[in-house]
Tab-separated table of all heavy atoms in Angstrom:
chain	number	residue	atom	x	y	z
K	1	GLU	N	45.604	31.565	51.726
K	1	GLU	CA	45.496	31.247	53.112
K	1	GLU	C	44.670	32.412	53.708
K	1	GLU	O	44.505	33.527	53.118
K	1	GLU	CB	46.821	31.151	53.773
K	1	GLU	CG	47.716	30.082	53.262
K	1	GLU	CD	47.224	28.698	53.523
K	1	GLU	OE1	46.656	28.501	54.582
K	1	GLU	OE2	47.409	27.804	52.627
K	2	PRO	N	44.081	32.248	54.941
K	2	PRO	CA	43.188	33.282	55.560
K	2	PRO	C	43.885	34.565	55.773
K	2	PRO	O	43.294	35.634	55.836
K	2	PRO	CB	42.810	32.581	56.898
K	2	PRO	CG	42.925	31.133	56.680
K	2	PRO	CD	44.052	30.947	55.781
K	3	ASP	N	45.305	34.504	55.882
K	3	ASP	CA	45.994	35.803	56.119
K	3	ASP	C	46.446	36.458	54.865
K	3	ASP	O	47.180	37.395	54.823
K	3	ASP	CB	47.243	35.482	56.975
K	3	ASP	CG	48.244	34.573	56.321
K	3	ASP	OD1	47.916	33.993	55.301
K	3	ASP	OD2	49.321	34.365	56.970
K	4	GLU	N	45.818	35.962	53.781
K	4	GLU	CA	46.266	36.499	52.426
K	4	GLU	C	44.998	37.144	51.727
K	4	GLU	O	44.900	37.226	50.449
K	4	GLU	CB	46.892	35.473	51.511
K	4	GLU	CG	48.201	34.964	52.075
K	4	GLU	CD	48.747	33.809	51.175
K	4	GLU	OE1	47.938	32.934	50.753
K	4	GLU	OE2	50.039	33.807	51.088
K	5	LEU	N	43.989	37.534	52.502
K	5	LEU	CA	42.676	37.970	51.910
K	5	LEU	C	42.903	39.358	51.060
K	5	LEU	O	42.054	39.638	50.276
K	5	LEU	CB	41.679	38.174	52.998
K	5	LEU	CG	41.181	36.996	53.733
K	5	LEU	CD1	40.060	37.321	54.642
K	5	LEU	CD2	40.893	35.861	52.811
K	6	PHE	N	44.035	39.985	51.379
K	6	PHE	CA	44.350	41.188	50.634
K	6	PHE	C	44.501	40.859	49.154
K	6	PHE	O	44.324	41.766	48.297
K	6	PHE	CB	45.599	41.880	51.165
K	6	PHE	CG	46.842	41.032	50.986
K	6	PHE	CD1	47.624	41.138	49.867
K	6	PHE	CD2	47.154	40.137	52.131
K	6	PHE	CE1	48.722	40.255	49.821
K	6	PHE	CE2	48.319	39.428	51.977
K	6	PHE	CZ	49.102	39.468	50.860
K	7	MET	N	44.846	39.685	48.834
K	7	MET	CA	44.997	39.193	47.445
K	7	MET	C	43.611	39.157	46.629
K	7	MET	O	43.645	38.966	45.433
K	7	MET	CB	45.710	37.810	47.346
K	7	MET	CG	47.095	37.921	48.036
K	7	MET	SD	48.077	36.421	47.626
K	7	MET	CE	48.600	36.700	45.970
K	8	LEU	N	42.524	39.269	47.386
K	8	LEU	CA	41.207	39.242	46.713
K	8	LEU	C	41.112	40.422	45.733
K	8	LEU	O	40.355	40.359	44.811
K	8	LEU	CB	40.085	39.228	47.688
K	8	LEU	CG	39.980	37.888	48.534
K	8	LEU	CD1	38.870	38.145	49.572
K	8	LEU	CD2	39.553	36.710	47.646
K	9	LYS	N	41.852	41.477	46.011
K	9	LYS	CA	41.915	42.557	45.026
K	9	LYS	C	42.291	42.200	43.699
K	9	LYS	O	41.804	42.586	42.649
K	9	LYS	CB	42.747	43.734	45.630
K	9	LYS	CG	42.927	44.945	44.641
K	9	LYS	CD	41.709	45.715	44.612
K	9	LYS	CE	41.880	47.120	44.082
K	9	LYS	NZ	42.392	47.224	42.715
K	10	LYS	N	43.231	41.162	43.583
K	10	LYS	CA	43.776	40.715	42.325
K	10	LYS	C	42.659	39.894	41.642
K	10	LYS	O	42.545	39.869	40.331
K	10	LYS	CB	44.960	39.857	42.494
K	10	LYS	CG	46.247	40.575	43.028
K	10	LYS	CD	47.396	39.631	43.200
K	10	LYS	CE	47.995	39.227	41.943
K	10	LYS	NZ	49.164	38.333	42.136
K	11	LEU	N	41.891	39.161	42.473
K	11	LEU	CA	40.731	38.402	41.869
K	11	LEU	C	39.759	39.417	41.153
K	11	LEU	O	39.228	39.068	40.121
K	11	LEU	CB	40.045	37.587	43.041
K	11	LEU	CG	38.841	36.820	42.566
K	11	LEU	CD1	39.182	35.619	41.642
K	11	LEU	CD2	38.157	36.281	43.831
K	12	ILE	N	39.401	40.444	41.873
K	12	ILE	CA	38.411	41.384	41.350
K	12	ILE	C	38.999	42.176	40.132
K	12	ILE	O	38.203	42.297	39.187
K	12	ILE	CB	38.040	42.352	42.529
K	12	ILE	CG1	37.327	41.594	43.672
K	12	ILE	CG2	37.241	43.582	41.931
K	12	ILE	CD1	37.342	42.273	44.935
K	13	ASP	N	40.213	42.428	40.062
K	13	ASP	CA	40.886	43.168	39.002
K	13	ASP	C	41.091	42.175	37.803
K	13	ASP	O	41.573	42.645	36.752
K	13	ASP	CB	42.186	43.741	39.417
K	13	ASP	CG	42.021	44.954	40.434
K	13	ASP	OD1	40.874	45.389	40.434
K	13	ASP	OD2	42.919	45.373	41.111
K	14	GLY	N	40.931	40.819	37.938
K	14	GLY	CA	41.239	39.918	36.937
K	14	GLY	C	42.698	39.660	36.691
K	14	GLY	O	43.176	39.104	35.794
K	15	ASP	N	43.451	39.988	37.787
K	15	ASP	CA	44.912	39.800	37.767
K	15	ASP	C	45.331	38.452	38.282
K	15	ASP	O	45.888	38.308	39.391
K	15	ASP	CB	45.594	40.980	38.512
K	15	ASP	CG	47.119	40.946	38.538
K	15	ASP	OD1	47.674	40.165	37.687
K	15	ASP	OD2	47.728	41.501	39.490
K	16	TYR	N	45.072	37.357	37.414
K	16	TYR	CA	45.391	36.073	37.888
K	16	TYR	C	45.515	35.158	36.666
K	16	TYR	O	45.118	35.599	35.571
K	16	TYR	CB	44.327	35.519	38.823
K	16	TYR	CG	42.906	35.507	38.207
K	16	TYR	CD1	42.379	34.509	37.413
K	16	TYR	CD2	41.982	36.544	38.631
K	16	TYR	CE1	41.094	34.524	36.860
K	16	TYR	CE2	40.723	36.604	38.105
K	16	TYR	CZ	40.229	35.633	37.302
K	16	TYR	OH	38.939	35.597	36.741
K	17	THR	N	46.080	33.975	36.920
K	17	THR	CA	46.060	33.015	35.877
K	17	THR	C	45.142	31.831	36.160
K	17	THR	O	44.719	31.731	37.309
K	17	THR	CB	47.527	32.444	35.705
K	17	THR	OG1	48.026	31.901	36.908
K	17	THR	CG2	48.443	33.586	35.200
K	18	ILE	N	44.986	30.976	35.229
K	18	ILE	CA	43.995	29.823	35.403
K	18	ILE	C	44.860	28.576	35.197
K	18	ILE	O	45.554	28.380	34.279
K	18	ILE	CB	42.865	29.793	34.321
K	18	ILE	CG1	41.949	31.059	34.657
K	18	ILE	CG2	41.990	28.535	34.467
K	18	ILE	CD1	41.229	30.972	36.004
K	19	GLU	N	44.740	27.670	36.092
K	19	GLU	CA	45.256	26.279	35.972
K	19	GLU	C	44.212	25.318	35.595
K	19	GLU	O	43.221	25.131	36.410
K	19	GLU	CB	45.993	25.784	37.242
K	19	GLU	CG	47.395	26.472	37.497
K	19	GLU	CD	48.092	25.721	38.556
K	19	GLU	OE1	47.488	24.781	39.150
K	19	GLU	OE2	49.150	26.189	38.901
K	20	LYS	N	44.279	24.729	34.494
K	20	LYS	CA	43.276	23.700	34.118
K	20	LYS	C	43.686	22.295	34.564
K	20	LYS	O	44.812	21.931	34.240
K	20	LYS	CB	43.034	23.736	32.601
K	20	LYS	CG	42.513	25.017	32.023
K	20	LYS	CD	42.180	24.965	30.520
K	20	LYS	CE	41.416	26.165	30.122
K	20	LYS	NZ	40.941	26.108	28.724
K	21	ARG	N	42.876	21.637	35.407
K	21	ARG	CA	43.148	20.417	35.948
K	21	ARG	C	42.358	19.368	35.351
K	21	ARG	O	41.075	19.500	35.319
K	21	ARG	CB	42.921	20.417	37.422
K	21	ARG	CG	43.694	21.510	38.168
K	21	ARG	CD	45.214	21.025	38.340
K	21	ARG	NE	45.999	22.048	39.074
K	21	ARG	CZ	46.103	21.987	40.431
K	21	ARG	NH1	45.661	20.985	41.011
K	21	ARG	NH2	46.897	22.899	41.064
K	22	MET	N	42.953	18.285	34.897
K	22	MET	CA	42.301	17.132	34.376
K	22	MET	C	41.334	16.433	35.366
K	22	MET	O	41.725	16.413	36.552
K	22	MET	CB	43.336	16.183	33.845
K	22	MET	CG	42.780	14.775	33.396
K	22	MET	SD	44.149	13.699	33.132
K	22	MET	CE	43.349	12.077	33.494
K	23	MET	N	40.255	15.904	35.030
K	23	MET	CA	39.415	15.195	35.922
K	23	MET	C	39.245	13.757	35.273
K	23	MET	O	39.392	13.436	34.132
K	23	MET	CB	38.033	15.854	36.014
K	23	MET	CG	38.012	17.254	36.533
K	23	MET	SD	36.396	18.044	36.728
K	23	MET	CE	35.789	17.235	38.129
K	24	LEU	N	38.679	12.880	36.183
K	24	LEU	CA	38.320	11.590	35.762
K	24	LEU	C	36.856	11.379	35.587
K	24	LEU	O	36.050	11.987	36.282
K	24	LEU	CB	38.748	10.521	36.862
K	24	LEU	CG	40.209	10.410	37.188
K	24	LEU	CD1	40.430	9.376	38.331
K	24	LEU	CD2	41.073	9.976	35.938
K	25	LYS	N	36.516	10.609	34.587
K	25	LYS	CA	35.030	10.140	34.483
K	25	LYS	C	35.004	8.679	34.814
K	25	LYS	O	35.731	7.839	34.327
K	25	LYS	CB	34.568	10.350	32.959
K	25	LYS	CG	33.128	9.852	32.801
K	25	LYS	CD	32.503	10.252	31.479
K	25	LYS	CE	33.072	9.462	30.297
K	25	LYS	NZ	32.435	9.707	29.084
K	26	ILE	N	34.169	8.371	35.847
K	26	ILE	CA	33.989	7.027	36.294
K	26	ILE	C	32.625	6.460	35.998
K	26	ILE	O	31.651	7.139	36.259
K	26	ILE	CB	34.144	6.995	37.866
K	26	ILE	CG1	35.521	7.622	38.232
K	26	ILE	CG2	34.049	5.573	38.450
K	26	ILE	CD1	35.509	8.969	38.793
């Protein structure tokens, strides 16, 4: 959320997980 921009430090440090989401082919 906009009040959580402090968490961008984790993005820069690579301190995150990845969720892989399935997509559809139409």
Side-chain angles (χ1 to χ4, degrees):
E1 302 293 322
D3 61 355
E4 296 175 321
L5 297 186
F6 62 90
M7 299 190 80
L8 290 174
K9 177 69 164 59
K10 295 179 71 175
L11 177 69
I12 293 156
D13 291 342
D15 182 16
Y16 56 82
T17 57
I18 294 294
E19 281 190 3
K20 292 188 176 182
R21 301 288 184 90
M22 173 189 151
M23 300 181 76
L24 298 176
K25 180 167 74 174
I26 301 102

